[in-house]
């Protein structure tokens, strides 16, 4: 089951009813200069706004080599990697990130004081792109719940318990809300920098402004989309061969366990997608009942 | 003592003697399109090439809102954060990264198979910029040596020992060379994506091509510099206030230890710099003797 698919529908509907998402909100061009465009998302549907913005970034890159779109006052884009991946499928390198409300303690703090601010890079290749979609927390809260329900410990520590001890017990972290930044101080610092960068580039709300407004998860956030034309400075064939050589070297790196070769970012998502295309989309029964109920209202 | 200052001089001299750095190498413009320029660094002095490239990115951003310079066949830029910081001191937001030779195992591998590929973001502010300078390994090898010589354990696990156990013993990691990516699989994936992105954007060597060539640390690497004009889409005063509000919220996040308030990325470097400006630069006696000897040859 996907963390950001069907099971987000009830919350999405709830946000619409609260007025935190405006289904009529459309991106409005506020400013344009050179290779950069700045939009107001008018609290529209996050997925549609982000698709629009990433497509615009690609158009700007066609013209200027690099293209950058910033959008403010938008809403949750669901699976973050989607948009960089979309740029890569159009043959462009894509970079994107977002600032969110505070959901993780900054390093040295015991209160939620920074977003998990996912950062995404997609590199186009002849066949499948390499796609990183990386939140700045070591684990998502959703993942903690999955481990807790399965009665399992996390494979590596994922936060602090209420007494301030680093722990692999998912329930103890859900209770303390002291989820661990990825790489300790590193993920904390990068999360703050990405928040500031998104705020500055979009002239939008920062994570702490969103905390003050309290419009739910990612309500009123800022998002950045950068596209880059990979075929400017060399023969496409030459560059794609170079990337293939690098990816092949990664896949051939000597594995710790010979039964588990090294994978590349994007492989797992691609595998899950192939499974869904074949078997259909798996939906939790409870979520499905909620969706049926929402549809009948 | 700084990890990338005076104590790198002997190695720098060694690389020149081996022909791995060409002191006469200068950046040559290969291609230009829109907001992007691509240079060949001709194996020149890494610091000078990177200063040149970051300054060009700022000039391009003045013209196009965003500016991007990629440089290939360059050499070690020493402290990575320097160049994004430099862009921020000129009033621009800066992003930069590099690909290096393999010095860290990819996640799932026990051999060095990816670079630690530092990624840097600097956000300009009215007074001091916020600067992230983040290598993709949890600790640098230099740091391991510092802890080992002091007879200390690392504060958090930094790698695997020869038996494959996660360990905080710096000597055991130096021996196995199995240094840990920051955030386990996350830093590994991001390191690979940054390598591919730098390779593609500069049409330069990837980390595995550098491994094959064997021209020392960062010999023949690719570097990316992106500058962004923060004053395009709003009043400078308004944007700077927003950033101040965010940074103040971070500094005021409830601390775990009331004697140790939350710090922001760049604070520590700034503190060390202020100390050096006051007390002079501390140099290791052994390194100083090597420098004297090099100077007299």
């Amino acid at each position: 089951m996907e963390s950001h698919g069907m099971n987000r529908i009830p919350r999405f509907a709830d946000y619409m009813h609260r007025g935190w998402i405006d289904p009529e909100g459309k991106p409005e061009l506020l400013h344009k200069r050179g290779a950069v465009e700045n939009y107001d998302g008018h609290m529209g549907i996050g997925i549609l706004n982000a698709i629009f913005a990433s497509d615009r970034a690609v158009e700007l890159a066609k013209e200027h080599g690099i293209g950058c779109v910033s959008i403010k006052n938008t809403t949750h884009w669901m699976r973050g990697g989607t948009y960089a991946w979309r740029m890569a499928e159009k043959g462009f390198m894509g970079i994107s990130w977002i600032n969110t409300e505070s959901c993780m303690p900054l390093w040295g703090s015991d209160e939620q004081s920074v977003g998990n601010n996912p950062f995404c890079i997609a590199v186009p290749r002849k066949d499948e792109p390499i796609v990183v979609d990386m939140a700045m927390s070591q684990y998502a809260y959703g993942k903690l719940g999955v481990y807790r329900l399965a009665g399992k410990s996390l494979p590596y520590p994922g936060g602090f318990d209420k007494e301030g001890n680093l722990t692999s017990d998912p329930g103890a972290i859900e209770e303390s809300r002291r989820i661990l930044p990825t790489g300790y101080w590193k993920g904390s610092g990068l999360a703050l920098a990405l928040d500031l960068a998104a705020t500055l580039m979009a002239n939008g709300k920062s994570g702490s402004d969103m905390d003050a407004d309290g419009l739910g998860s990612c309500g009123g956030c800022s998002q950045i989309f950068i596209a880059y034309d990979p075929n400017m400075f060399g023969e496409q064939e030459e560059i794609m061969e170079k990337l293939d050589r690098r990816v092949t070297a990664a896949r051939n790196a000597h594995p710790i366990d010979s039964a588990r070769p090294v994978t590349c970012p994007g492989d797992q998502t691609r595998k899950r997608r192939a499974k869904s295309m074949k078997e259909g989309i798996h939906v939790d029964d409870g979520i499905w009942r909620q969706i049926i109920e929402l549809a009948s209202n």
Side-chain angles (χ1 to χ4, degrees), chain A:
Chain A
M1 205 178 56
E2 299 292 337
S3 59
H4 288 74
M6 298 288 278
N7 63 356
R8 292 295 181 110
I9 288 180
R11 192 168 80 176
F12 176 83
D14 177 47
Y15 280 16
M16 279 213 298
H17 291 139
R18 289 169 186 265
W20 293 352
I21 293 173
D22 176 3
E24 304 300 323
K26 296 274 178 297
E28 178 196 2
L29 181 65
L30 297 179
H31 305 276
K32 180 175 168 61
R33 185 163 147 235
V36 192
E37 288 180 352
N38 177 228
Y39 289 84
D40 189 324
H42 290 299
M43 301 301 279
I45 296 171
I47 289 182
L48 299 181
N49 279 353
I51 287 176
F52 172 87
S54 53
D55 286 354
R56 277 304 304 156
V58 165
E59 291 307 311
L60 288 166
K62 285 180 186 169
E63 203 178 331
H64 304 280
I66 192 169
C68 177
V69 170
S70 61
I71 182 165
K72 65 179 175 182
N73 303 324
T74 188
T75 63
H76 205 302
W77 65 5
M78 303 299 157
R79 194 188 62 168
T82 301
Y83 312 99
W85 199 309
R86 186 176 171 91
M87 295 191 261
E89 285 187 336
K90 293 182 173 208
F92 287 72
M93 202 191 84
I95 297 180
S96 67
W97 72 95
I98 181 176
N99 61 8
T100 77
E101 76 288 354
S102 294
C103 57
M104 168 173 96
L106 282 159
W107 189 246
S109 171
D110 52 15
E111 68 168 338
Q112 303 199 354
S113 40
V114 74
N116 68 349
N117 302 343
F119 182 76
C120 312
I121 301 184
V123 179
R125 292 171 62 229
K126 262 180 292 185
D127 30 273
E128 59 217 11
I130 298 294
V131 185
V132 165
D133 175 356
M134 176 177 158
M136 294 302 140
S137 57
Q138 188 65 55
Y139 297 99
Y141 278 106
K143 201 72 150 187
L144 299 184
V146 170
Y147 275 89
R148 178 176 42 77
L149 291 171
K152 285 185 186 168
S153 279
L154 300 168
Y156 299 94
F160 296 93
D161 63 20
K162 280 195 153 176
E163 283 70 45
N165 304 306
L166 206 55
T167 179
S168 300
D169 173 0
I173 304 165
E174 287 178 305
E175 200 191 358
S176 70
R177 312 293 289 174
R178 290 179 61 182
I179 202 166
L180 190 68
T182 185
Y184 314 100
W185 56 93
K186 292 197 165 194
S188 170
L190 187 52
L192 182 61
L194 290 169
D195 183 354
L196 290 164
T199 304
L200 174 152
M201 293 171 83
N203 189 20
K205 286 179 191 166
S206 70
S208 54
D209 288 346
M210 291 162 69
D211 292 343
D213 290 351
L215 302 177
S217 178
C218 298
C221 66
S222 303
Q223 293 166 356
I224 307 302
F225 303 85
I226 297 174
Y228 188 95
D229 180 352
N231 303 320
M232 289 189 281
F233 302 146
E235 293 300 318
Q236 187 174 8
E237 195 66 21
E238 177 198 2
I239 294 177
M240 291 299 142
E241 263 173 30
K242 245 182 243 191
L243 300 184
D244 276 355
R245 210 154 59 224
R246 182 67 192 90
V247 170
T248 302
R251 294 198 190 281
N252 290 341
H254 187 269
I256 294 171
D257 172 354
S258 61
R260 303 182 64 180
V262 169
T263 59
C264 289
D267 286 354
Q268 289 188 10
T269 302
R270 200 156 20 235
K271 208 186 276 178
R272 284 203 307 272
R273 184 157 65 172
K275 194 163 179 272
S276 293
M277 294 301 280
K278 200 173 146 197
E279 300 177 1
I281 295 170
H282 291 258
V283 185
D284 177 84
D285 285 338
I287 296 284
W288 186 241
R289 277 193 300 272
Q290 287 181 58
I291 292 172
I292 297 290
E293 200 184 307
L294 282 165
S296 62
N297 283 344

